[in-house]
């Protein structure tokens, strides 16, 4: 009996010794793979920065796009504009792209004004910069690209000094109907496509003179395509055909929601390399701004096709 009770005492002591170790093992965290641990500590890549410099055409003036989602972008002037930059931001978010978007705009002004009067606001490093010139290039000499070429050069030098790898794009904007269909217009009597074609040619000259410019956004040519394919009506002065869009707003000068939407689609596709059609007919901002699914899909297809043509022509 002595030996029996001693054995049971030893077993009991051993059990007490093992129990804490077992408990500690159960409460210990599961082993983590080395790769998973290092991945969790890896820093998240910083968002790409993009700056839009322009005037009322960038602001989305005279349309519901002007102040739409202004809180999602940074207006360096504090004016509270959303416009094309906010649409670009919305497209990026829907496609999982991380961009921090800023804009510096002033209605009716040229790039020369922004350089001379506002450059302190944007003189810092940017990943991407979009430059949009006054609609007729030179207010005193419509169609003359001389000042445009000079000011693109000044802007490019400033931005390259801050970031030698900056991606600079020129937005070649659309034909103004009031400049085409009324006698006061510089392009009066010419085809509706002529003004946009001339603006693209001027952008090509500015790009050739300034190798720092990486590309041209064919916004005006996308408008031309929308009209030649029947998506949009080419002449707002004689009424809008059933089933077609009016790309201009009431002044036949600035864009309508549809016109700014098309501008933003071209900008988005050119800069990100993402096919605008991948946004889909149910794209959220189109619905919020009053475009139907069919209209959104048609404008996305126009942007895709014009970008494809423009890229092939390089």
């Amino acid at each position: 009996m002595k030996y029996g009770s001693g054995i049971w005492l030893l077993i009991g002591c051993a059990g007490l010794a093992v129990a804490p170790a077992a408990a500690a093992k159960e409460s210990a965290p599961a082993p983590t793979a080395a790769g998973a641990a290092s991945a969790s500590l890896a820093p998240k890549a910083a968002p790409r920065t993009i700056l839009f410099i322009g005037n009322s055409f960038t602001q989305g003036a005279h349309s519901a796009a002007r102040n739409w989602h202004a809180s999602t972008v940074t207006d360096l002037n504090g004016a509270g504009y959303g416009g094309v930059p906010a649409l670009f931001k919305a497209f990026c978010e829907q496609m999982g792209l991380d961009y921090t978007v800023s804009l510096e705009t002033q209605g009716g002004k040229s790039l020369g004004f922004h350089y001379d009067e506002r450059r302190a606001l944007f003189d810092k490093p940017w990943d991407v910069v979009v430059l949009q010139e006054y609609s007729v290039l030179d207010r005193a000499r419509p169609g003359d690209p001389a000042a445009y070429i000079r000011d693109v050069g000044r802007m490019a030098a400033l931005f390259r000094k801050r970031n030698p790898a900056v991606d600079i794009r020129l937005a070649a904007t659309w034909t103004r109907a009031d400049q085409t269909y009324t006698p006061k217009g510089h392009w009066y009597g010419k085809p509706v496509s002529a003004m946009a074609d001339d603006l693209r040619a001027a952008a090509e000259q500015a790009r050739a003179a300034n190798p720092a410019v990486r590309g041209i956004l064919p916004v005006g040519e996308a408008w031309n395509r929308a009209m030649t394919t029947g998506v949009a009506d080419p002449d707002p002065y004689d009424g809008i055909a059933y089933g077609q869009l009016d790309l201009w707003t009431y002044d036949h000068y600035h864009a309508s929601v549809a016109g700014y939407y098309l501008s933003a689609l071209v900008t988005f596709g050119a800069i990100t390399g993402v096919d605008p059609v991948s946004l889909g007919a149910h794209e959220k901002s189109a619905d919020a701004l009053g475009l139907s699914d069919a209209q959104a899909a048609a404008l996305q297809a126009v942007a895709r096709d014009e970008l494809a043509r423009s890229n092939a022509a390089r």
Side-chain angles (χ1 to χ4, degrees), residues 29-299:
T32 305
S38 61
S40 65
L41 297 175
K44 182 181 177 181
R48 283 175 63 76
T49 58
I50 181 169
L51 170 68
F52 289 80
I53 296 180
N55 50 48
S56 55
F57 281 16
T58 296
Q59 293 169 356
H62 302 292
S63 83
R66 186 185 66 179
N67 303 108
W68 183 82
H69 279 205
S71 63
T72 66
V73 298
T74 299
D75 186 335
L76 299 182
N77 294 307
Y81 294 126
V84 171
L87 283 165
F88 175 89
K89 175 70 172 180
F91 298 159
C92 288
E93 288 181 340
Q94 290 173 71
M95 299 307 295
L97 303 176
D98 196 3
Y99 277 80
T100 297
V101 181
S102 301
L103 63 147
E104 195 284 295
T105 63
Q106 182 64 50
K109 298 297 185 180
S110 67
L111 290 175
F113 165 85
H114 293 283
Y115 184 88
D116 293 336
E117 305 292 333
R118 300 277 180 81
R119 70 177 179 273
L121 293 174
F122 51 75
D123 185 7
K124 61 181 183 179
W126 301 93
D127 293 318
V128 184
V129 175
V130 175
L131 302 176
Q132 182 252 307
E133 182 56 287
Y134 183 62
S135 60
V136 299
L137 300 180
D138 188 313
R139 189 186 293 273
R141 296 178 295 277
D144 185 343
Y148 179 35
I149 294 168
R150 178 201 67 205
D151 293 331
V152 167
R154 294 197 292 165
M155 286 283 195
L158 181 149
F159 290 120
R160 286 200 72 191
K161 184 176 180 180
R162 293 296 189 177
N163 175 16
V166 63
D167 180 353
I168 300 173
R169 308 292 180 105
L170 305 181
T173 57
W174 54 85
T175 291
R176 283 173 46 178
D178 67 320
Q179 285 284 325
T180 300
Y181 293 111
T182 64
K184 67 177 183 179
H186 180 72
W187 286 267
Y188 178 63
K190 295 183 178 181
V192 70
S193 59
M195 181 176 176
D197 289 341
D198 287 351
L199 296 178
R200 172 61 188 254
E204 291 287 1
Q205 291 180 62
R207 182 186 185 190
N210 300 287
V213 174
R214 187 170 298 181
I216 297 170
L217 309 180
V219 174
E221 291 162 296
W223 277 46
N224 289 349
R225 178 178 292 273
M227 290 183 279
T228 58
T229 58
V231 172
D233 191 298
D235 185 355
Y237 287 96
D238 65 1
I240 305 303
Y242 177 77
Q244 293 186 333
L245 288 163
D246 186 353
L247 296 178
W248 294 278
T249 192
Y250 57 84
D251 61 4
H252 309 319
Y253 171 165
H254 294 85
S256 64
V257 162
Y260 289 122
Y261 186 75
L262 180 54
S263 176
L265 287 170
V266 171
T267 304
F268 170 75
I271 290 171
T272 67
V274 175
D275 183 349
V277 170
S278 63
L279 290 163
H282 302 297
E283 193 277 314
K284 295 177 182 178
S285 54
D287 178 66
L289 289 169
L291 295 173
S292 70
D293 289 355
Q295 290 169 335
L299 291 170

